[in-house]
Amino acid sequence: MSASPTKAKAGAEKISVVVSAKVPVNDLVTRFEFKRQDGGPFPTFSGGAHTVVEMNDAGRTRLNPYSLMSDPEDTETYAISVRRDDEGRGGSLFMHNFVNVGDQMNITYPVNLFNLDLRARKHLFLAGGIGITPFVAMSKQLDRIGGNWELHYGVRSAALGSYAEELSTKNPNKVHVYEDDKGEAIALEALLNGQPLGTHVYVCGPKGMIDWVRQTAKQAGWPDDNVHFEEFAAPQPGEPFEVRLCKSDRTITVGEHESLLEALEREGVDAPYLCRGGACGQCETDVIRHDGAFVHRDHWLEDEVKASGKKIMPCVSRFVGASLEIDR
Amino acid sequence: MTIQFNDETFRDDYTFRNSDWAVKRFPFPFHEDSYMYSVNMEQHRGGPEGSVYEKRFDVDEHYVSEMKDRAIVLADDPLRCQSLPHMTLAGWDLLELIMVSKSEDYPDLFELHRDGNTWRWINKPLGIDDTFTFLDETTLPFGPMEYITRQSQGDFAVLDQRDDMLWMDAGMVTTQADWSLDFDIGMNFFEWHAPVPKAHEMGIFKRALKFLLNIQQGAPARRLNWTMTVNPLLDTSPENYHKWGIQKTGLTAENIGQKQFLRVELQTFYRLPRSNALAFPIRCYLIAFEDIVSVPKWGRRLHRVIRDLPEELATYKGFIDNRPKMLDYLSQYDDGLPTSPGVWPDLDTEPALSK
Ligand code: HEM
Ligand code: FES
């Protein structure tokens, strides 16, 4: 129809915010709180949603997704928790070292790729480490609407258990914390077997934990639709590689410490994205020709499609080889 | 501007009329002289002043009468409004979206006063002034979705999003082009689209679903769909086919200009905040053939589109039998001159009929 021929921009809508608090939670984790610059209310959101935070790191734009952990009904403040990753590409280090109260930043509207199934009779949350953040928001939302939830939370030690104490104190009958350094672990099989019919299980944590939960649930006969997980793959550094962009008619080089998506953006090529973590499918790009091997790191493409070499997810995946041509 | 609301009917004596204003702002759906299904989606971020695209929820001269017609349909058949138990939160989301949008976009017609969870809603055209507690169903006369959609033009489907799929788990459907909520409730995107010809093979539904799953808060989208209706009937439901189906046989060369209507749906898509559900308002606009041909460009174009439309589409849309009569009538308004691109009437620049 084209009543107003505005072209969709990549990514979700942005909101300009001011950092209103920077709170050390423990040695590794810091909470950041945001208020809107225009003083207006934030949109409410659904538990499990994330926001993409835009960082201006010495002229280089970094866009990292973080789960929103504030109360979804709180329209004054948004909060995220950032775990410092000393080996990572630097987004979390930038947040820890250079972002301070009073700084202005852009974040996106909430995007939910890990939503509650509101049909569930019971919501069983399994968290590992910083994977606790979406469950903080989800439990607050369920408390408001009278939902039944239970949390099992694995932490390295009491000292590194972000929000563990707070959550247990507030919900002594619902929260179970397992401290790794004391040899405690979730008795997963027994836990899954003891759930009432209509329970949905949600897992967020390191990849190993997600795989363990999915496999154990499968073996115990849980339907796939009752097992929910969110796995943000962070882009990993790798050997630089060249890409020919067919639509834009030029060739660019993806540097060691940037993703293909970031390289496209640096070159001013409008490339779609939402999650930047290989989960949403939005950045899917056709491969026209290639001579070499893909390093697929997304959770979106089916294994056969990955093997076919016809698609790549530029937000997290890379390429090693002689030549690559994509449809951008 | 203030709107003069018509007192009119969409049944029995059919007193429905479009004013000149309504004709000129009609959402004519054809941007070129031919039509085929496509993933014709764009952002829903306003449009030219006065157009039906300008506001989030367009309110026009038919508002009050359309709401009376909805109440008649519901009294007769309460199953036109259904909401599965897990969709109540989405109903509140929809209520908030509509109340906030309408009170901001039409402050002279609607007011919303919020004090925490105590909300006062004033709907002047319908004479409503209610105070209720947000998220407490016991404080409203209906469930939240039913309450607000009894006050909003157009049908509403509210889709739950689970497992990379959309599910039709709630809706208010009384002005539909021959489909039934009671039949489709609980179905998924591919199931309820099963009767549509050609589009599946063209891969349209796969791409459309992917687009819809990724619609985000703060970034609504829209598209148009269209069909044909004899007499200005809002409720062309399968449930009532025995009442309206036979009216299609009553077209004559003399009455077709007044009795044959182009029916256009302005469909919008909103991600809802708390439930992460997708709201799908389907707003129906009707225009008589004689009003369409009063715009020379639209008369020329409609003739060409109807003439060249593939048979499967004319059959699915239910006007294959009447197509010859339509073409006899419309051909009088097609002088073969070229038409300007785009959907707008272009009254100042397009030549008058030279025939
Ligand atoms: C979630 C939102 C949507 C809902 C609830 C919905 C619902 C429906 C329903 C109930 C029908 C009638 C099917 C029947 O004959 O029983 C229909 C028809 C159709 N839908 Fe959708 N639809 C949605 C989104 C879309 C989108 C995004 C497209 C984009 C291409 C689309 C394309 C069509 C087409 C081409 C038809 C046939 C219409 C005609 O020729 O008159 N739909 N839809
Ligand atoms: S941006 Fe979501 S998969 Fe790449």
Side-chain angles (χ1 to χ4, degrees), chain B residues 189-321:
Chain B
F189 189 80
F190 296 124
E191 289 167 342
W192 78 64
H193 277 124
V196 180
K198 280 183 177 275
H200 294 272
E201 299 91 281
M202 293 166 68
I204 283 178
F205 289 125
K206 243 182 109 183
R207 272 179 291 143
L209 175 63
K210 190 167 164 179
F211 183 96
L212 296 179
L213 292 174
N214 277 311
I215 283 183
Q216 298 307 329
Q217 265 180 266
R222 66 183 172 218
R223 69 182 285 266
L224 293 180
N225 187 41
W226 66 277
T227 188
M228 292 287 178
T229 304
V230 175
N231 288 324
L233 266 162
L234 283 176
D235 177 27
T236 51
S237 56
E239 286 91 340
N240 281 333
Y241 188 81
H242 59 284
K243 293 189 197 156
W244 59 269
I246 44 168
Q247 298 181 21
K248 292 202 277 184
T249 59
L251 277 191
T252 65
E254 288 69 45
N255 68 19
I256 187 167
Q258 295 105 54
K259 276 176 95 74
Q260 179 63 59
F261 286 76
L262 173 64
R263 179 187 194 104
V264 174
E265 293 173 353
L266 171 56
Q267 309 180 337
T268 48
F269 306 89
Y270 291 87
R271 176 69 54 201
L272 297 175
R274 297 170 186 79
S275 56
N276 202 42
L278 189 74
F280 179 49
I282 313 157
R283 174 65 184 281
C284 170
Y285 294 86
L286 294 164
I287 188 170
F289 269 23
E290 65 180 10
D291 286 335
I292 300 179
V293 301
S294 71
V295 177
K297 169 177 164 182
W298 290 355
R300 291 182 181 106
R301 180 165 291 166
L302 186 63
H303 173 244
R304 297 168 199 177
V305 168
I306 299 304
R307 183 190 62 204
D308 302 337
L309 192 74
E311 196 150 317
E312 294 99 311
L313 269 69
T315 305
Y316 174 74
K317 288 175 188 284
F319 65 86
I320 188 80
D321 292 343

Side-chain angles (χ1 to χ4, degrees), chain A residues 235-301:
Chain A
Q236 297 290 324
E239 285 292 304
F241 60 99
E242 274 198 354
V243 197
R244 163 125 195 96
L245 311 177
C246 294
K247 275 206 197 112
S248 323
D249 192 21
R250 65 190 137 135
T251 301
I252 64 170
T253 303
V254 180
E256 182 183 352
H257 290 288
E258 66 183 351
S259 66
L260 171 52
L261 178 61
E262 287 166 337
L264 291 167
E265 289 167 342
R266 170 171 52 73
E267 292 291 323
V269 177
D270 190 32
Y273 72 86
L274 270 177
C275 71
R276 308 182 77 87
C280 73
Q282 196 68 5
C283 67
E284 188 179 302
T285 301
D286 288 333
V287 173
I288 308 286
R289 221 169 275 124
H290 72 286
D291 175 8
F294 292 95
V295 186
H296 290 295
R297 300 198 61 258
D298 61 276
H299 315 289
W300 174 258
L301 298 175

Side-chain angles (χ1 to χ4, degrees), chain A residues 26-45:
Chain A
N26 54 42
D27 279 355
L28 287 179
V29 175
T30 299
R31 182 172 71 245
F32 294 86
E33 297 181 3
F34 304 112
K35 302 250 188 262
R36 275 180 85 120
Q37 269 180 43
D38 62 10
F42 280 114
T44 49
F45 62 93

Side-chain angles (χ1 to χ4, degrees), chain A residues 1-4 6-8 13 43-46 73 109-112 115 117-119 141 145 225 228 274 280-282 284 300, chain B residues 31 40 42-43 45-48 53 86 89 96 135 161-163 210 214 216-219 222-224 273-276 343-344:
Chain A
M1 95 190 83
S2 267
S4 64
T6 38
K7 197 164 164 278
E13 279 300 288
T44 49
F45 62 93
S46 48
E73 285 295 323
Y109 263 66
V111 172
N112 201 336
N115 58 300
D117 189 324
L118 293 171
R119 298 170 310 164
Q141 182 171 20
I145 59 175
D225 290 355
H228 309 266
L274 270 177
C280 73
Q282 196 68 5
E284 188 179 302
W300 174 258
Chain B
H31 62 90
N40 54 337
E42 65 181 23
Q43 291 187 68
R45 298 252 170 127
Y53 309 105
H86 62 280
L89 188 62
E96 176 186 55
L135 296 179
Q161 180 158 332
R162 307 188 299 268
D163 315 312
K210 190 167 164 179
N214 277 311
Q216 298 307 329
Q217 265 180 266
R222 66 183 172 218
R223 69 182 285 266
L224 293 180
R274 297 170 186 79
S275 56
N276 202 42
V343 295
W344 306 110

Side-chain angles (χ1 to χ4, degrees), chain B residues 19-59:
Chain B
S19 66
D20 281 353
W21 172 71
V23 169
K24 292 206 179 71
R25 74 197 291 276
F26 189 82
F28 189 73
F30 308 113
H31 62 90
E32 57 187 10
D33 287 355
S34 65
Y35 177 81
M36 191 20 138
Y37 291 146
S38 63
V39 186
N40 54 337
M41 239 102 60
E42 65 181 23
Q43 291 187 68
H44 184 40
R45 298 252 170 127
E49 201 183 327
S51 74
V52 304
Y53 309 105
E54 184 187 5
K55 305 291 208 274
R56 285 167 280 186
F57 294 89
D58 183 46
V59 175

Side-chain angles (χ1 to χ4, degrees), chain A residues 313-326:
Chain A
M313 309 303 285
C315 64
V316 290
S317 299
R318 304 185 69 89
F319 180 79
V320 186
S323 69
L324 172 64
E325 278 182 41
I326 62 172

Side-chain angles (χ1 to χ4, degrees), chain B residues 76-88:
Chain B
D76 207 39
D77 183 0
L79 292 179
R80 301 302 190 84
C81 179
Q82 299 189 39
S83 174
L84 298 183
H86 62 280
M87 297 303 282
T88 306

